[in-house]
Amino acid sequence: VPQNPLRVFIDCHATISADAQAPTVGGPAIMASPDLIPLMNAVVIAPDYIGYGESVDHTHLFADVALNGNTVVDGVKVAYDLLYSLDKNVAVDRPSYILGASQGGGVALSAQRIIENEAGLSDYIHLQESYVGSGAYDFGRIFDVWTREWSSNSFPCGALLGVLGMFDECPDEFGDIKVDDLFSESFIATGIVEAVKSKTYDNSQITTFVVQGLQKAYGDAAFPVPNERIFSPAMMDEKSDVYQRVKSYFSRGNAYMSVGTGMWVPSHRVNMFHSPEDEVVPYVLTEELMAYFDGQGYKNYTFKATSGNHTGSCIAAYTEAIRRILFSY
């Protein structure tokens, strides 16, 4: 907390697998170029998602963007109360900005929706706009692309994170489905399920772990990993009962069309960034988000195409967002 902060940044972190990367445990406070951080002169509020930090003993509900958005908003409320008690009066008179990329992009959009829709929150949190990059706004669409439109996957633990959350969140609905109904024997044999559940390894370590394990089974270190090496025959068949049921769960994870909450038109600006070359979060998600906004008559958004792979695109989104906030307003 700077002595005289000018603004509040609400940071929604990207997907992590290792608890050591959780913001309260020791992960980066914000995903940006280090040389920009001293210039921000901001209070940075970066809540952990459920499943990390103090709640590490719980399963992280990866695809539940509404829950993760609520978690961020709850964290912001507590942070504002704490700042007020410390005579850091930023809670009542400083503009705030929401930032997030990758999973955090979807969570940031969800948090904006909650702040705008919950009575009194817009007066309490002086939201100016959000910055979302390479965002996982629609897990149902991600599921379609990962399993049907792409023949291979650069983030092989992504579907597993979602499935583990599905089992924990909806045991009555999906309790008869097992991990080996969804994933191939060779994929499970790499030890990925135990690795993900341990929350010890980061995304890169788990990916390397999987590629090396599959090499023993197939004789080559193919990457991106072919889908048939990840998924079971049932998951490779979109007409199967298992596939359709799992798809129904992922389809509930939409940041801007949450089930049962009605249509949403933002009242603050949304600034979007995404690389058409993104190999993890499909570019079509941003295209469809803009189409949704256009269909609702919402024009107060911006979009800038970044370049490079998923990680580079996410960092570029953060860097551009901070530059805009610092130097353009």
Side-chain angles (χ1 to χ4, degrees), residues 4 116 127 150 179 191 228:
N4 296 294
E116 292 180 352
L127 180 63
W150 288 353
V179 171
E228 61 269 18

Side-chain angles (χ1 to χ4, degrees), residues 1-16:
V1 181
Q3 284 297 111
N4 296 294
L6 295 178
R7 53 188 66 86
V8 176
F9 282 4
I10 301 167
D11 182 44
C12 305
H13 69 75
T15 301
I16 58 175

Side-chain angles (χ1 to χ4, degrees), residues 233-301:
M235 284 292 286
M236 294 296 290
D237 178 8
E238 63 181 320
K239 296 180 180 180
S240 73
D241 177 66
V242 167
Y243 179 91
Q244 290 297 325
R245 290 172 65 189
V246 176
K247 178 179 178 179
S248 74
Y249 172 79
F250 277 84
S251 296
R252 302 167 197 175
N254 188 299
Y256 54 95
M257 290 193 295
S258 298
V259 176
T261 58
M263 306 302 283
W264 172 56
V265 179
S267 54
H268 299 84
R269 181 183 296 168
V270 179
N271 302 280
M272 291 169 281
F273 308 85
H274 207 156
S275 169
E277 305 163 54
D278 194 321
E279 81 287 10
V280 175
V281 176
Y283 183 69
V284 68
L285 267 70
T286 296
E287 293 180 315
E288 292 181 356
L289 176 59
M290 288 191 286
Y292 169 81
F293 285 155
D294 290 339
Q296 298 303 309
Y298 171 72
K299 300 296 184 181
N300 191 25
Y301 69 81

